[in-house]
Amino acid sequence: DIQLTQSPSFLSASVGDRVTITCRASQGISSYLAWYQQKPGKAPNLLIYAASTLQSGVPSRFSGSGSGTEFTLTISSLQPEDFATYSCQQLNSYPLTFGGGTKVEIK
Amino acid sequence: EVQLVESGGGLVKPGGSLRLSCAASGFTFSSYSMNWVRQAPGKGLEWVSSISSSRIYIYYADSVKGRFTISRDNARNSLYLQMNSLRAEDTAVYYCARRYSGYTGDAFDIWGQGTVVTVSS
């Protein structure tokens, strides 16, 4: 099974900060990686797929990069509404797996 | 509007059964692979099961294999999850999700609002 390790698991940042979250896969997954944002009590919302493709309607301050085993999600200028938990997911092979999540707190 | 609506959650005793449903609307349901994902209280997302558009390919997480059965009815635009031999650790919010398969990659692009399953005596 492919394990996804996200870091950090928690971060606190100020509005306007640049934030980077890392997701490492235990084996190569090409670009079959997606990023989701989830707010308390809500379903996950797709932000990025294919490692770097921005989902329609998602603000351009979100971006993704990487391939193989190392991936990053970047928020270029953190906004108050970005308080949420971010999770990566690999869709390269079954069983599909998610990272443990990164909770972003606004300072 | 593209939408997924889950139902069927509730409180069940250990060893009991429950059947979850997911009603799809606003898109051609029969063209998409569908999935169940769960989230235990305070925990991360866990993929549970997937079924291909034609029902040929079915996959399960090891944690539910042999106890859960995924199915779909393309004529009714519905996805199901039959859950048997439920355990306390199956307690979670269960989401259905559509798998988008694009030119450059895949993702779960549409999610339902979730249905809560609580396994407790």
Side-chain angles (χ1 to χ4, degrees):
Chain A
D1 297 3
I2 297 173
Q3 315 300 323
L4 295 181
T5 303
Q6 274 186 247
S7 60
S9 55
F10 176 86
L11 72 86
S12 182
S14 300
V15 172
D17 282 354
R18 182 181 181 89
V19 168
T20 298
I21 298 168
T22 298
C23 179
R24 288 189 174 87
S26 59
Q27 56 188 272
I29 58 171
S30 185
S31 295
Y32 282 93
L33 189 101
W35 289 97
Y36 301 89
Q37 177 193 68
Q38 187 178 23
K39 297 185 178 180
K42 299 294 187 183
N45 180 52
L46 175 64
L47 299 175
I48 302 279
Y49 65 96
S52 60
T53 302
L54 193 68
Q55 172 69 347
S56 176
V58 173
S60 58
R61 62 181 180 272
F62 292 92
S63 65
S65 65
S67 68
T69 61
E70 187 146 340
F71 303 85
T72 59
L73 172 70
T74 300
I75 309 172
S76 61
S77 179
L78 198 65
Q79 299 302 301
E81 60 268 29
D82 298 337
F83 163 74
T85 297
Y86 295 85
S87 299
C88 56
Q89 180 200 24
Q90 67 83 16
L91 298 101
N92 181 74
S93 61
Y94 288 96
L96 304 181
T97 46
F98 289 89
T102 297
K103 186 173 183 179
V104 176
E105 175 193 88
I106 308 296
K107 269 185 185 174
Chain B
E1 180 191 4
V2 175
Q3 197 173 12
L4 296 170
V5 179
E6 301 95 337
S7 60
L11 174 64
V12 62
K13 289 182 167 54
S17 298
L18 215 52
R19 189 194 195 207
L20 305 184
S21 298
C22 172
S25 59
F27 65 98
T28 305
F29 179 74
S30 59
S31 296
Y32 291 88
S33 169
M34 296 298 296
N35 309 269
W36 289 98
V37 176
R38 69 184 181 183
Q39 187 168 36
K43 301 296 185 182
L45 300 166
E46 179 188 15
W47 168 79
V48 173
S49 183
S50 298
I51 184 169
S52 64
S53 58
S54 59
R55 294 173 289 185
I56 291 175
Y57 301 104
I58 289 177
Y59 304 92
Y60 297 99
D62 283 347
S63 57
V64 307
K65 202 173 293 183
R67 300 187 299 122
F68 290 11
T69 302
I70 192 172
S71 62
R72 65 189 295 162
D73 184 338
N74 288 341
R76 296 179 182 269
N77 293 332
S78 292
L79 175 72
Y80 306 101
L81 187 68
Q82 177 66 43
M83 303 187 297
N84 299 331
S85 303
L86 282 161
R87 306 166 179 166
E89 53 265 35
D90 296 319
T91 294
V93 178
Y94 284 74
Y95 297 101
C96 65
R98 183 180 85 170
R99 179 167 179 160
Y100 164 78
S101 293
Y103 208 56
T104 53
D106 295 17
F108 289 0
D109 67 332
I110 303 296
W111 295 68
Q113 84 289 352
T115 188
V116 178
V117 172
T118 303
V119 184
S120 175
S121 55

